[in-house]
Amino acid sequence: MRTNIWGNRLHNNSIVAMVKKNAGILVVLFVFGLLLSLMTDTFLTNNNIISVLRQISINMFIALGMTYVIILGGIDLSVGSIVAMSGTLTVGFTMTQGLPLWLAILLGLAIGSLAGFLNGLIIAKFKVPAFIVTMAMMNIASGIAYVYSGGRSTRIKDPFFIKIGTGYLFDVIPLPVVYMAVLIALFSFLLNKTKFGTYIYAIGGNRESARLSGVPIFKVEIIVYTITGLLSAFAGLVLSSRMYSGQPSVGSGYELDAIAACVLGGVSMSGGKGSISGTVIGAMVIGIISNGLNLMGVSSFWQLIVKGIIILCAILIDTQKGKESIVLRTVGRAINHKNK
């Protein structure tokens, strides 16, 4: 296992290394699964497992981009609104404007990417905090969805479009789960095996050192936020396909679920640390908790409270880890200095 000088990047991607790195969250996942299997009769059924994977997929699309953003040292609060905007516009373009479906899909993805690009451009060029910029974009994207649709959902019955979110591979695996697996592999490769991934860790780990080392911070920030916008738009496309409609009201709280998945998976809110594998496990925990609470008939309002508590606890643990690391490094330097 090795780390480069810019961050805590894991190069050994073996299953054993992944398990060791995410041992804590894996134990939590196992305990939740065990408790739910004992408390409900339907949790471990094939239909419910498939349902959980399908539900997780939407959050996973968003969380992959959020992982990049948080490792970079930023945050993106606009992802949920981009989901709603892209899904609403895609359906509206083909059903209201009469555009060919393929063109409507491309435009929906492009508009979501544009929203992410604008986030990155403003953050990188004008040094405005990501929290402020993405919060503004959250309102803009949501407003566009409502203005365009008049606040009403738009139905779509095109068979091809419906299959995007409801179809199956080999009549067994839901297509959203297939998309999820492909995207996880792709973004894990980009983060761990490419120079672009190294740059993301470098900027999040120490922005000034990255700048002095020649890392193209401006370009990387724009690309990361653009990717996040694209993934959110794709989530909106799949979601609208599953709902047979474009709805401007969807997406609320999706940024919360994505952030929760990242933080639970060990992505540090201070930047420079994290992995796709951790985010995947974190998303599974969030999905299983939501599914379990639904099976037990717990109100969605209480689910929001539970998710908020989970995020708070994860952030507190992350903060304490950071303090512990600083103390250990300081003690280590003192011991080395004394030995010299």
Side-chain angles (χ1 to χ4, degrees):
M1 194 184 306
R2 300 182 291 119
T3 57
N4 62 27
I5 62 173
W6 286 335
N8 298 286
R9 185 180 183 182
L10 186 67
H11 288 277
N12 186 347
N13 291 314
S14 67
I15 295 177
V16 174
M18 188 275 288
V19 171
K20 287 182 178 179
K21 186 176 181 181
N22 300 289
I25 190 65
L26 283 171
V27 170
V28 172
L29 180 63
F30 174 78
V31 170
F32 271 123
L34 181 61
L35 289 175
L36 290 173
S37 64
L38 294 174
M39 296 172 66
T40 64
D41 296 329
T42 57
F43 178 72
L44 290 179
T45 61
N46 290 335
N47 288 338
N48 189 61
I49 291 173
I50 291 175
S51 177
V52 170
L53 290 174
R54 187 187 288 112
Q55 292 170 5
I56 289 173
S57 65
I58 298 297
N59 185 29
M60 185 64 68
F61 301 149
I62 304 170
L64 289 173
M66 190 69 76
T67 300
Y68 277 32
V69 168
I70 296 178
I71 292 177
L72 191 69
I75 196 74
D76 193 341
L77 302 179
S78 66
V79 290
S81 294
I82 294 175
V83 168
M85 177 183 68
S86 297
T88 300
L89 293 181
T90 298
V91 174
F93 285 155
T94 188
M95 297 304 295
T96 305
Q97 268 64 56
L99 295 179
L101 181 60
W102 65 269
L103 181 57
I105 291 174
L106 289 179
L107 287 175
L109 295 176
I111 291 172
S113 301
L114 177 62
F117 171 81
L118 292 175
N119 281 337
L121 180 64
I122 295 171
I123 291 167
K125 185 173 181 62
F126 299 100
K127 312 301 179 185
V128 181
F131 178 87
I132 302 298
V133 175
T134 58
M135 183 172 61
M137 184 58 71
M138 175 179 67
N139 288 293
I140 293 170
S142 180
I144 290 173
Y146 277 102
V147 169
Y148 178 80
S149 65
R152 298 181 297 273
S153 63
T154 305
R155 297 285 295 177
I156 182 170
K157 297 181 180 180
D158 185 284
F160 177 79
F161 185 80
I162 299 302
K163 284 184 179 179
I164 291 175
T166 62
Y168 287 80
L169 179 65
F170 306 126
D171 294 325
V172 176
I173 307 173
L175 288 180
V177 178
V178 177
Y179 308 149
M180 178 174 67
V182 172
L183 289 174
I184 288 171
L186 173 62
F187 282 90
S188 180
F189 174 80
L190 289 175
L191 193 60
N192 292 298
K193 297 293 185 179
T194 68
K195 187 179 293 186
F196 177 66
T198 301
Y199 288 163
I200 293 174
Y201 280 105
I203 296 170
N206 191 318
R207 191 182 186 88
E208 183 60 20
S209 294
R211 185 185 66 82
L212 294 174
S213 299
V215 174
I217 297 177
F218 182 81
K219 291 182 179 179
V220 172
E221 283 190 317
I222 290 177
I223 293 173
V224 166
Y225 280 95
T226 302
I227 288 174
T228 305
L230 174 60
L231 288 170
S232 300
F234 182 68
L237 169 66
V238 176
L239 185 61
S240 60
S241 172
R242 284 176 51 189
M243 297 188 302
Y244 295 73
S245 63
Q247 300 183 19
S249 59
V250 302
S252 177
Y254 280 25
E255 63 281 349
L256 177 68
D257 287 347
I259 293 171
C262 294
V263 176
L264 279 174
V267 181
S268 175
M269 294 299 292
S270 60
K273 298 179 183 178
S275 66
I276 295 297
S277 62
T279 296
V280 171
I281 299 170
M284 291 178 65
V285 170
I286 295 296
I288 288 174
I289 290 174
S290 297
N291 177 258
L293 293 176
N294 286 330
L295 292 177
M296 291 186 290
V298 178
S299 166
S300 59
F301 306 129
W302 280 102
Q303 292 186 33
L304 290 174
I305 296 174
V306 172
K307 290 176 184 177
I309 293 174
I310 289 172
I311 293 176
L312 181 60
C313 292
I315 290 176
L316 288 175
I317 293 172
D318 177 61
T319 302
Q320 294 306 309
K321 282 182 179 179
K323 290 180 180 179
E324 182 180 349
S325 297
I326 292 173
V327 171
L328 290 175
R329 285 198 299 268
T330 302
V331 172
R333 292 194 191 101
I335 293 174
N336 289 335
H337 180 73
K338 184 177 179 180
N339 290 337
K340 288 180 181 179

